[in-house]
Amino acid sequence: MAYAVPAPALVTVPVVGGDPFPVRRIYCVGRNYAAHAREMGTDPDREPPFFFMKPADSILANHSTMTYPPKTKNLHHEIELVVAIGKQGKDIPVADALDHVYGYAVGLDMTRRDLQNEAKTTGRPWEMGKGFDQSAPIAPIHKASDVGHIDKGAIWVKVNGTTKQTGDISDLIWSVAESVSYLSALMELCPGDLIYSGTPEGVAAVVRGDKLVGHVDGLTDLEITIG
Ligand code: MN
């Protein structure tokens, strides 16, 4: 097949003990831990979940150096459990939602917080604060058939060996199953979709040279350096 311009490469994420996972879309859940919602200045009292997106090619592989992005002075880490979708569905009942989950990974929703805050203030879109190049680091995916479904366990990120965010997956306001179900009523989910499920409290800025280690119990750690 000939194309008018060079065709973009398919973005993939390694799978532990399996073939690479092809990335179709990246969804992110906003404010899904109560203490983080409070630190962002909002009431976490189970307002409906909301979503934003990053481009598929904002994926950054484990053990990479992330180039400090342009036009920001406030690059934040958000450690998140990432859900990999393996089966198509829309209007998925909560009770069936986990059947659509292929696996899980540790991810970072890197955020140009100054640009995001400016967008919030002015009522503009979030993409330039959230969906920039290399903004979605992710460690290898573990199959749910190997590790089970994740509804509890420690989640944390360390920067240069110091713990910056720590929480527990059981503190999610909207569980993995509820998030998948809710999102599937807005958009048809397809194999290859990733859902970054939200971050616990303690988001903070990073600078060039920082080494980040992200963790969720039972999964491969995510390690990146800010360059
Ligand atoms: Mn996030």
Side-chain angles (χ1 to χ4, degrees), residues 28-29 52 78 80 109 111 130 198-199:
C28 302
V29 188
F52 58 92
E78 295 191 358
E80 312 209 354
D109 166 16
T111 301
K130 286 289 196 179
T199 198

PDB file of all heavy atoms in Angstrom, residues 28-29 52 78 80 109 111 130 198-199, ligand 1:
ATOM      1  N   CYS A  28      -7.997   8.771  29.979  1.00  0.00           N
ATOM      2  CA  CYS A  28      -7.548   9.028  31.347  1.00  0.00           C
ATOM      3  C   CYS A  28      -8.762   9.435  32.174  1.00  0.00           C
ATOM      4  O   CYS A  28      -9.617  10.197  31.701  1.00  0.00           O
ATOM      5  CB  CYS A  28      -6.533  10.168  31.387  1.00  0.00           C
ATOM      6  SG  CYS A  28      -5.055   9.894  30.384  1.00  0.00           S
ATOM      7  N   VAL A  29      -8.817   8.946  33.403  1.00  0.00           N
ATOM      8  CA  VAL A  29      -9.881   9.332  34.329  1.00  0.00           C
ATOM      9  C   VAL A  29      -9.353  10.483  35.183  1.00  0.00           C
ATOM     10  O   VAL A  29      -8.241  10.414  35.706  1.00  0.00           O
ATOM     11  CB  VAL A  29     -10.300   8.163  35.240  1.00  0.00           C
ATOM     12  CG1 VAL A  29     -11.536   8.536  36.067  1.00  0.00           C
ATOM     13  CG2 VAL A  29     -10.564   6.903  34.422  1.00  0.00           C
ATOM     14  N   PHE A  52     -10.450  12.403  29.873  1.00  0.00           N
ATOM     15  CA  PHE A  52      -9.773  13.139  28.805  1.00  0.00           C
ATOM     16  C   PHE A  52      -8.905  12.133  28.076  1.00  0.00           C
ATOM     17  O   PHE A  52      -8.875  10.949  28.429  1.00  0.00           O
ATOM     18  CB  PHE A  52      -8.983  14.327  29.371  1.00  0.00           C
ATOM     19  CG  PHE A  52      -7.949  13.965  30.390  1.00  0.00           C
ATOM     20  CD1 PHE A  52      -6.641  13.703  30.018  1.00  0.00           C
ATOM     21  CD2 PHE A  52      -8.276  13.877  31.749  1.00  0.00           C
ATOM     22  CE1 PHE A  52      -5.681  13.369  30.974  1.00  0.00           C
ATOM     23  CE2 PHE A  52      -7.323  13.547  32.707  1.00  0.00           C
ATOM     24  CZ  PHE A  52      -6.019  13.300  32.313  1.00  0.00           C
ATOM     25  N   GLU A  78       1.973  12.063  37.763  1.00  0.00           N
ATOM     26  CA  GLU A  78       0.749  11.464  38.310  1.00  0.00           C
ATOM     27  C   GLU A  78       0.883   9.956  38.112  1.00  0.00           C
ATOM     28  O   GLU A  78       0.780   9.464  36.987  1.00  0.00           O
ATOM     29  CB  GLU A  78      -0.503  11.989  37.587  1.00  0.00           C
ATOM     30  CG  GLU A  78      -0.766  13.477  37.788  1.00  0.00           C
ATOM     31  CD  GLU A  78      -2.150  13.902  37.284  1.00  0.00           C
ATOM     32  OE1 GLU A  78      -2.882  13.049  36.757  1.00  0.00           O
ATOM     33  OE2 GLU A  78      -2.475  15.101  37.441  1.00  0.00           O
ATOM     34  N   GLU A  80      -0.279   6.192  38.078  1.00  0.00           N
ATOM     35  CA  GLU A  80      -1.606   5.639  37.824  1.00  0.00           C
ATOM     36  C   GLU A  80      -1.544   4.149  37.472  1.00  0.00           C
ATOM     37  O   GLU A  80      -0.587   3.685  36.850  1.00  0.00           O
ATOM     38  CB  GLU A  80      -2.281   6.399  36.651  1.00  0.00           C
ATOM     39  CG  GLU A  80      -2.177   7.921  36.838  1.00  0.00           C
ATOM     40  CD  GLU A  80      -3.286   8.734  36.228  1.00  0.00           C
ATOM     41  OE1 GLU A  80      -4.141   8.163  35.534  1.00  0.00           O
ATOM     42  OE2 GLU A  80      -3.277   9.965  36.468  1.00  0.00           O
ATOM     43  N   ASP A 109       0.792   9.674  34.185  1.00  0.00           N
ATOM     44  CA  ASP A 109       0.079  10.710  33.428  1.00  0.00           C
ATOM     45  C   ASP A 109       0.852  12.001  33.657  1.00  0.00           C
ATOM     46  O   ASP A 109       0.542  12.771  34.565  1.00  0.00           O
ATOM     47  CB  ASP A 109      -1.370  10.785  33.940  1.00  0.00           C
ATOM     48  CG  ASP A 109      -2.099  12.031  33.469  1.00  0.00           C
ATOM     49  OD1 ASP A 109      -1.623  12.687  32.530  1.00  0.00           O
ATOM     50  OD2 ASP A 109      -3.153  12.333  34.069  1.00  0.00           O
ATOM     51  N   THR A 111       2.058  15.709  33.283  1.00  0.00           N
ATOM     52  CA  THR A 111       1.147  16.848  33.140  1.00  0.00           C
ATOM     53  C   THR A 111       1.911  18.168  33.166  1.00  0.00           C
ATOM     54  O   THR A 111       2.681  18.415  34.098  1.00  0.00           O
ATOM     55  CB  THR A 111       0.125  16.833  34.295  1.00  0.00           C
ATOM     56  OG1 THR A 111      -0.601  15.598  34.267  1.00  0.00           O
ATOM     57  CG2 THR A 111      -0.845  17.999  34.201  1.00  0.00           C
ATOM     58  N   LYS A 130      -2.006  18.017  28.871  1.00  0.00           N
ATOM     59  CA  LYS A 130      -2.059  16.584  29.170  1.00  0.00           C
ATOM     60  C   LYS A 130      -1.577  15.683  28.037  1.00  0.00           C
ATOM     61  O   LYS A 130      -1.028  14.618  28.307  1.00  0.00           O
ATOM     62  CB  LYS A 130      -3.512  16.197  29.497  1.00  0.00           C
ATOM     63  CG  LYS A 130      -3.999  16.662  30.864  1.00  0.00           C
ATOM     64  CD  LYS A 130      -3.325  15.854  31.968  1.00  0.00           C
ATOM     65  CE  LYS A 130      -4.045  15.993  33.302  1.00  0.00           C
ATOM     66  NZ  LYS A 130      -3.395  15.170  34.367  1.00  0.00           N
ATOM     67  N   GLY A 198      -6.387   7.287  37.057  1.00  0.00           N
ATOM     68  CA  GLY A 198      -6.387   8.372  38.025  1.00  0.00           C
ATOM     69  C   GLY A 198      -5.251   8.233  39.012  1.00  0.00           C
ATOM     70  O   GLY A 198      -4.623   7.174  39.121  1.00  0.00           O
ATOM     71  N   THR A 199      -4.992   9.330  39.728  1.00  0.00           N
ATOM     72  CA  THR A 199      -3.795   9.380  40.566  1.00  0.00           C
ATOM     73  C   THR A 199      -4.133   9.728  42.009  1.00  0.00           C
ATOM     74  O   THR A 199      -5.057  10.516  42.264  1.00  0.00           O
ATOM     75  CB  THR A 199      -2.788  10.405  39.992  1.00  0.00           C
ATOM     76  OG1 THR A 199      -1.493  10.157  40.545  1.00  0.00           O
ATOM     77  CG2 THR A 199      -3.179  11.851  40.305  1.00  0.00           C
TER      78      THR A 199
HETATM   79 MN    MN B   1      -4.140  11.694  35.878  1.00  0.00          MN
END
